[in-house]
Amino acid sequence: MPYSHLNDYPAEIRERAARVRLACFDVDGTLTDGRLIYDSEGRESKCFHVQDGQGLALLRRFGIAVHFVTARGGAIAAQRAAELGATAHGDVADKLACVSEIAAGLGLGLDQVAFMGDDLADLRVLPHVGLSVAPANAHPWVRERVHWRTVARGGEGAARELCDLLLGAQGHAEQALAGALG
């Protein structure tokens, strides 16, 4: 059975998704729900959605590079990226410069980049990439400036929606399903 949800997306979004070779994600509010939780000793914790992780791993399996680009630093995002075989860039003041450098290092143009973000720190990069995406609960200033918005909220499967779109648009969804079905 072919990936049945691909035609739910507008043709322009499917075309943009078909060109993506690098997927970059903000962390807080995109890969997490945006809450920062501190214990009594000041240690931070975050929640990542397992389905997002599966989607990110599938992107890598099918040749799409995955990078986390976050304005905040910290070991948590780096650890999650490492678990998934992705690369984390923390304490990024200029996300456009960072994404541009990553793309250039991979021999890609920005038209081959997808970027998902949810707040002001992400605004500068969004108009320059081939596919800009925001989770459903992104700040309105971001939601109105992206090519596409997910149905899911950040940290609740939004990244997986983007991953599934990219895999479907590039003809990899059936192979991913076949591998899961055995």
Side-chain angles (χ1 to χ4, degrees):
M1 168 186 252
Y3 181 58
S4 61
H5 302 291
L6 194 55
N7 288 327
D8 292 348
Y9 304 102
E12 176 196 1
I13 298 303
R14 292 191 315 262
E15 290 166 11
R16 288 176 178 277
R19 293 190 298 265
V20 170
R21 297 294 172 264
L22 167 62
C24 295
F25 296 85
D26 171 49
V27 176
D28 297 314
T30 301
L31 293 175
T32 74
D33 64 8
R35 294 182 299 158
L36 301 175
I37 303 166
Y38 295 94
D39 70 12
S40 62
E41 298 191 21
R43 291 179 298 231
E44 182 180 7
S45 64
K46 302 176 192 236
C47 293
F48 293 90
H49 199 289
V50 69
Q51 290 180 358
D52 288 343
Q54 178 68 69
L56 298 171
L58 286 170
L59 289 184
R60 290 192 55 255
R61 177 176 160 205
F62 289 101
I64 298 172
V66 176
H67 288 250
F68 297 179
V69 180
T70 178
R72 299 185 81 240
I76 296 171
Q79 179 181 343
R80 183 62 174 151
E83 288 173 358
L84 299 170
T87 303
H89 307 268
D91 295 317
V92 176
D94 184 342
K95 290 188 179 186
L96 176 57
C98 182
V99 170
S100 295
E101 185 176 312
I102 297 165
L106 295 171
L108 302 173
L110 288 177
D111 63 318
Q112 296 174 288
V113 176
F115 186 91
M116 178 182 265
D118 72 308
D119 212 339
L120 294 177
D122 306 310
L123 279 177
R124 187 156 181 256
V125 70
L126 296 172
H128 299 282
V129 296
L131 178 60
S132 58
V133 181
N137 62 325
H139 191 279
W141 295 345
V142 173
R143 284 197 319 255
E144 66 190 21
R145 288 174 169 83
V146 295
H147 296 116
W148 178 64
R149 288 173 286 197
T150 65
V151 173
R153 298 167 56 86
E156 297 177 6
R160 179 60 179 269
E161 284 185 44
L162 174 55
C163 295
D164 290 352
L165 168 61
L166 296 175
L167 294 168
Q170 296 183 22
H172 301 303
E174 293 310 311
Q175 189 176 353
L177 285 169
L181 294 171

